[in-house]
């Protein structure tokens, strides 16, 4: 019997910038204070996060909308130069289920053009804004040669998508709202009913879910944590992430970029 592989952990940051707010409500483009919440991500949080990841010696995936690549090209190049993956996150951060098929294709291809212009390469993975798909998103990803998706919530382990009755090479790295910072910490007067959770309670939730998935690792489970610079790039919240990583390192884990995970895990799925 072969030795078990380390438990795969994928930490990702969705670098939405201002698009988180303009895609929700186009009139937010005329609200400078609302936009400043998004601008905090690329201008303040990402430099802090990159230094944090250097200290942790972890390479991760940043999912970045095309408009953010266009607006902050030097920052996106620095992310790639420091060993991290930059992956597809749409162009405008509009949700695919709100667009026509033609609009979704155009939005997707506009983002890909920014990858080619700024990074001189095409992305290999895709995370949808709000983890939502249209009826034709999977067809588009398969056609565009994406190697992985990180959007679905139907399993605890990676798998390959079946598109039009055919099993493809498109690897799914499943996510869950439980392991996203937005339900706990995304707050704005423009988002009625939101409350800010205590960081220690979030840490216990993320740590407990890690323990549960790790206990089932022989079934092929994995851990995908989805964060946002404008939300989790605050000093105390990064301290919470540091505690979570320290807890994980007490176990047999391997931190992977999402493209690395798809390449490593895909052949056995």
């Amino acid at each position: 019997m072969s030795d078990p592989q380390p438990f795969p952990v994928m930490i990702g940051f969705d670098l939405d910038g201002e698009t988180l707010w303009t895609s929700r409500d186009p009139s937010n483009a005329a609200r400078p204070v609302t936009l400043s919440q998004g601008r905090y991500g690329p201008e303040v949080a990402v430099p802090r996060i990159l230094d944090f990841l250097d200290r942790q010696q972890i390479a991760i995936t940043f999912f970045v909308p095309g408009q953010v690549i266009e607006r902050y090209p030097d920052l996106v190049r620095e992310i790639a130069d420091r060993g991290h993956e930059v992956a597809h996150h749409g162009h405008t951060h509009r949700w695919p289920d709100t667009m026509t098929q033609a609009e979704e294709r155009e939005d997707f291809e506009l983002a890909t053009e920014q990858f080619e212009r700024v990074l001189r390469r095409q992305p290999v993975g895709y995370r949808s804004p709000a983890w939502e798909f249209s009826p034709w998103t999977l067809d588009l990803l398969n056609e565009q040669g994406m190697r992985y998706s990180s959007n679905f919530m139907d399993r605890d382990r990676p798998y390959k998508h079946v598109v039009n009755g055919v099993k493809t090479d498109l690897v799914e790295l499943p996510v869950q709202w439980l392991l996203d910072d937005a339900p706990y910490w995304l707050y704005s007067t423009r988002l009625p009913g939101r409350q800010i959770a205590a960081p220690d309670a979030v840490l216990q939730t993320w740590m407990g879910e890690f323990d549960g998935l790790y206990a089932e690792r022989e079934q092929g489970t994995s851990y995908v944590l989805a964060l946002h610079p404008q939300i989790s790039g605050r000093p105390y919240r990064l301290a919470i992430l540091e505690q979570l990583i320290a807890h994980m390192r007490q176990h047999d884990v391997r931190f992977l970029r999402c493209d690395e995970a798809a390449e490593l895990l895909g052949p056995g799925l």
Side-chain angles (χ1 to χ4, degrees), residues 38 210 247:
F210 169 82
H247 176 75

Side-chain angles (χ1 to χ4, degrees), residues 204-217:
Q204 292 303 313
T205 300
W206 289 347
M207 195 179 294
E209 187 68 3
F210 169 82
D211 291 343
L213 291 170
Y214 185 85
E216 299 181 1
R217 62 193 180 282

Side-chain angles (χ1 to χ4, degrees), residues 57-260:
Q57 297 183 315
I58 294 175
I60 70 166
T61 297
F62 286 81
F63 295 89
V64 188
Q67 285 186 342
V68 175
I69 297 175
E70 186 175 18
R71 191 171 296 141
Y72 301 98
D74 292 340
L75 178 66
V76 174
R77 291 190 194 100
E78 182 180 0
I79 290 171
D81 289 344
R82 290 173 73 163
H84 306 289
E85 179 194 8
V86 181
H88 204 300
H89 198 41
H91 185 64
T92 59
H93 202 267
R94 289 178 62 192
W95 300 3
D97 64 313
T98 67
M99 294 186 275
T100 66
Q101 187 171 4
E103 288 172 337
E104 182 180 0
R105 174 179 293 277
E106 180 183 29
D107 190 86
F108 191 96
E109 292 179 348
L110 284 172
T112 302
E113 289 175 9
Q114 293 304 317
F115 275 85
E116 294 169 343
R117 183 183 69 85
V118 173
L119 296 174
R120 306 299 182 193
R121 64 170 182 79
Q122 292 194 345
V124 300
Y126 175 74
R127 174 169 290 167
S128 163
W131 294 337
E132 197 57 77
F133 275 25
S134 73
W136 42 79
T137 304
L138 277 174
D139 288 297
L140 180 61
L141 299 185
N142 198 38
E143 173 199 316
Q144 294 287 326
M146 292 290 104
R147 294 213 310 264
Y148 75 85
S149 153
S150 186
N151 299 281
F152 281 70
M153 308 185 196
D154 49 350
R155 305 186 199 178
D156 294 321
R157 57 172 295 169
Y159 63 91
K160 287 184 177 178
H161 278 286
V162 174
V163 180
N164 299 320
V166 178
K167 186 176 182 180
T168 70
D169 289 326
L170 180 63
V171 175
E172 180 63 38
L173 303 175
V175 291
Q176 226 294 322
W177 286 116
L178 182 71
L179 297 176
D180 185 299
D181 59 1
Y184 307 103
W185 291 329
L186 179 60
Y187 180 86
S188 171
T189 56
R190 301 280 170 188
L191 301 173
R194 291 279 186 166
Q195 295 183 345
I196 300 176
D200 289 345
V202 178
L203 173 62
Q204 292 303 313
T205 300
W206 289 347
M207 195 179 294
E209 187 68 3
F210 169 82
D211 291 343
L213 291 170
Y214 185 85
E216 299 181 1
R217 62 193 180 282
E218 292 185 0
Q219 301 176 30
T221 54
S222 65
Y223 188 92
V224 181
L225 184 65
L227 307 172
H228 301 76
Q230 62 186 277
I231 300 174
S232 288
R234 311 292 306 188
Y236 185 47
R237 291 174 182 170
L238 277 184
I240 292 297
L241 179 58
E242 185 174 10
Q243 292 179 57
L244 177 63
I245 290 171
H247 176 75
M248 292 174 173
R249 282 182 160 147
Q250 296 175 17
H251 304 74
D252 184 21
V253 300
R254 182 175 179 181
F255 294 95
L256 297 166
R257 301 177 355 167
C258 289
D259 57 346
E260 293 172 335

